[in-house]
């Protein structure tokens, strides 16, 4: 049986390993191996991005959702959730505040809110794009038809974030009601890529019922799908969901998987997520030091940030607040990096590069 350090070197050199070897890397990990993989991941990231950390301005514009996912605080059945919708004028004001701070990517995120019809979404996307033509517009509003995705793209959307959550169908069933399916989630991701979006997917680490085999399936899916962005974060329970009593995922495993993903997808845009910062004070810094290169501070109006509560104790103040950009800069500078507020496109996102 090969030494784990040899497997780590092979992963760094070739960007891939057979499933059984990936499984060994996860099951038999230790702090020394994690530090070694992190160094390798940072070396790879710096080939493409240097010391730059890209910052996206996140606008959470609706907390309504038609779905009933068992892990999410915004689920339809949570009668205690605080619901709100931002109008277009307010969203544009958030963009304006972000633009003044230097942000050149806006992430428009919501639950699957039927009030925001395709017409309304297209009007919103067009308004943002026309007002800030030098900015990238990312949307994250869930599962839609191919025709809806086509319309958003024509309205000016550049990127789309849609976590696959788990690449194992039986595990997907544990996390979602019967109305949702992994096959439709994958259909959405493939439609998005075919329509020319820069596509982001990802999964929760430590979600209820998750096994190492599930994680290997997730890594295999990412390698084969080749998304431009991957968002992973520790599962954190919400007190008003069926998973309220479940154990949270860990920073340790999340950070370890960030290093593996960086080595498997060297150019990928890889966030150190809000969940990492929410579960651990220096969680985001740990993510950056393991190979991540994106942070998404919040541009939403301050009076609604605590209402978009996907999980308990979600971070929405301090350096997670976009208006505290200087604090975020200081945190990154303290570990040897600097933030970049420009568009920060995926290097190699043309049709030719995808062939």
């Amino acid at each position: 049986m090969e030494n784990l350090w040899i497997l780590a070197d092979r992963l760094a050199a070739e960007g891939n390993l057979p499933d059984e070897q990936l499984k060994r890397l996860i099951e038999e990990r230790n702090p020394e191996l994690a530090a070694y993989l992190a160094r390798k991941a940072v070396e790879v990231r710096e080939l493409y991005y240097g010391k730059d950390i890209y910052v996206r301005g996140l606008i959470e514009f609706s907390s309504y959702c038609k779905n009933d996912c068992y892990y999410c605080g915004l689920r339809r059945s949570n009668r205690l959730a605080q619901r709100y919708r931002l109008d277009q004028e307010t969203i544009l004001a958030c963009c304006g505040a972000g633009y003044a701070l230097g942000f050149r990517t806006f992430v428009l995120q919501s639950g699957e809110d039927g009030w925001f019809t395709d017409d309304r979404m297209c009007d919103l996307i067009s308004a943002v794009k026309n007002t800030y033509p030098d900015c990238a517009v990312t949307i994250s509003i869930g599962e839609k038809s191919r025709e809806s995705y086509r319309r958003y793209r024509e309205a000016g959307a550049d990127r789309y974030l849609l976590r696959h959550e788990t690449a194992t169908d039986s595990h997907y069933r544990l996390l979602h009601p019967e109305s949702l399916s992994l096959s439709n989630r994958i259909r959405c991701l493939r439609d998005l890529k075919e329509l020319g979006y820069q596509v982001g997917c990802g999964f929760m680490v430590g979600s209820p019922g998750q096994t190492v085999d599930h994680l290997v399936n997730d890594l295999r899916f990412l390698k084969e799908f080749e998304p431009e962005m991957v968002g992973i974060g520790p599962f954190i329970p919400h007190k008003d969901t069926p998973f309220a009593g479940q154990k949270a995922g860990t920073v340790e495993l999340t950070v370890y998987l960030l290093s593996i993903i960086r080595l498997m997808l060297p150019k990928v845009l890889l966030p150190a997520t809000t969940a990492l910062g929410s579960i651990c004070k220096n969680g985001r810094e740990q993510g950056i030091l393991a190979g991540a290169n994106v942070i998404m501070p919040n541009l939403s109006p301050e009076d609604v940030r605590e209402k978009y509560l996907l999980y308990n104790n979600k971070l929405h103040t301090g350096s997670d607040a976009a208006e505290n950009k200087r604090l975020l800069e200081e945190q990154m500078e303290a570990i040897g990096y600097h933030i970049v507020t420009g568009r920060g496109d995926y290097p190699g996102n043309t049709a030719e590069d995808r062939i």
Side-chain angles (χ1 to χ4, degrees):
M1 185 175 291
E2 287 186 281
N3 184 287
L4 289 173
W5 304 89
I6 294 174
L7 297 184
D9 285 338
R10 184 176 301 156
L11 178 62
E14 301 175 9
N16 206 356
L17 288 174
D19 288 358
E20 281 306 310
Q21 293 181 354
L22 284 173
K23 184 175 181 179
R24 279 195 64 210
L25 273 185
I26 298 171
E27 284 185 330
E28 301 176 34
R29 68 189 186 277
N30 57 64
E32 293 76 20
L33 183 64
Y36 186 70
L37 276 178
R39 288 196 298 272
K40 291 287 186 180
V42 167
E43 289 173 5
V44 169
R45 182 197 58 210
E46 291 187 0
L47 286 175
Y48 299 100
Y49 298 104
K51 298 286 188 179
D52 291 348
I53 303 300
Y54 294 112
V55 180
R56 308 345 190 157
L58 176 63
I59 303 168
E60 296 162 332
F61 64 91
S62 172
S63 66
Y64 286 88
C65 190
K66 69 177 184 180
N67 293 328
D68 223 10
C69 303
Y70 303 141
Y71 50 84
C72 183
L74 301 188
R75 66 193 306 261
R76 183 183 69 242
S77 294
N78 182 9
R79 305 302 180 194
L80 299 177
Q82 298 183 70
R83 308 295 181 178
Y84 71 90
R85 293 187 183 102
L86 302 183
D87 58 28
Q88 183 169 300
E89 181 180 2
T90 302
I91 295 169
L92 286 171
C94 294
C95 293
Y99 194 88
L101 289 167
F103 289 79
R104 295 298 180 266
T105 293
F106 302 120
V107 181
L108 307 179
Q109 185 177 75
S110 73
E112 292 195 24
D113 181 357
W115 188 88
F116 281 95
T117 61
D118 286 353
D119 285 345
R120 285 178 171 139
M121 279 306 305
C122 288
D123 286 346
L124 173 59
I125 294 164
S126 296
V128 175
K129 201 70 176 180
N130 290 336
T131 307
Y132 305 102
D134 55 332
C135 294
V137 174
T138 302
I139 52 177
S140 181
I141 57 174
E143 297 181 4
K144 305 290 181 180
S145 69
R146 185 185 180 96
E147 175 62 14
S148 295
Y149 290 148
R150 183 193 64 77
R151 290 188 62 190
Y152 306 155
R153 183 82 177 111
E154 290 181 353
D158 302 284
R159 306 167 183 156
Y160 202 104
L161 308 182
L162 181 68
R163 286 190 176 186
H164 67 279
E165 298 301 4
T166 174
T168 304
D169 189 66
S170 59
H171 188 218
Y172 197 91
R173 292 266 55 83
L174 287 175
L175 304 177
H176 301 90
E178 288 296 323
S179 58
L180 299 174
S181 69
L182 178 59
S183 60
N184 191 58
R185 184 65 60 108
I186 301 303
R187 187 274 306 167
C188 290
L189 288 167
R190 299 198 186 285
D191 283 350
L192 289 162
K193 178 165 277 199
E194 290 169 7
L195 288 165
Y197 286 89
Q198 295 175 43
V199 182
C201 56
F203 56 93
M204 293 179 291
V205 178
S207 58
Q210 188 179 70
T211 67
V212 173
D213 286 326
H214 295 154
L215 291 172
V216 170
N217 287 346
D218 287 319
L219 294 172
R220 182 61 54 213
F221 171 73
L222 294 176
K223 183 64 178 178
E224 293 173 355
F225 183 66
E226 293 189 318
E228 286 76 18
M229 179 172 168
V230 173
I232 71 169
F235 163 74
I236 304 175
H238 187 289
K239 61 183 177 59
D240 301 318
T241 68
F243 291 156
Q246 295 290 326
K247 185 179 178 181
T250 66
V251 172
E252 176 267 328
L253 181 53
T254 304
V255 168
Y256 188 77
L257 291 168
L258 284 172
S259 295
I260 290 177
I261 292 167
R262 170 61 66 198
L263 294 174
M264 295 183 76
L265 299 169
K267 296 181 181 180
V268 75
L269 293 161
L270 191 60
T273 58
T274 300
L276 263 179
S278 297
I279 203 171
C280 176
K281 184 176 180 181
N282 69 340
R284 275 196 307 211
E285 288 91 332
Q286 290 188 50
I288 298 298
L289 292 171
N293 70 324
V294 174
I295 294 175
M296 299 200 307
N298 206 317
L299 277 172
S300 306
E302 291 185 48
D303 62 341
V304 303
R305 289 179 192 174
E306 62 183 14
K307 297 178 182 178
Y308 199 86
L309 200 62
L310 304 175
Y311 46 81
N312 288 347
N313 303 313
K314 179 172 172 280
L315 193 66
H316 61 273
T317 59
S319 62
D320 197 66
E323 62 270 14
N324 291 335
K325 190 179 78 166
R326 184 56 202 155
L327 177 58
L328 183 60
E329 289 171 340
E330 291 171 356
Q331 290 177 345
M332 292 300 103
E333 288 166 3
I335 58 172
Y337 294 88
H338 53 264
I339 68 169
V340 176
T341 48
R343 283 178 56 113
D345 283 304
Y346 177 82
N349 60 350
T350 64
E352 292 77 11
D353 288 311
R354 287 195 179 126
I355 293 173

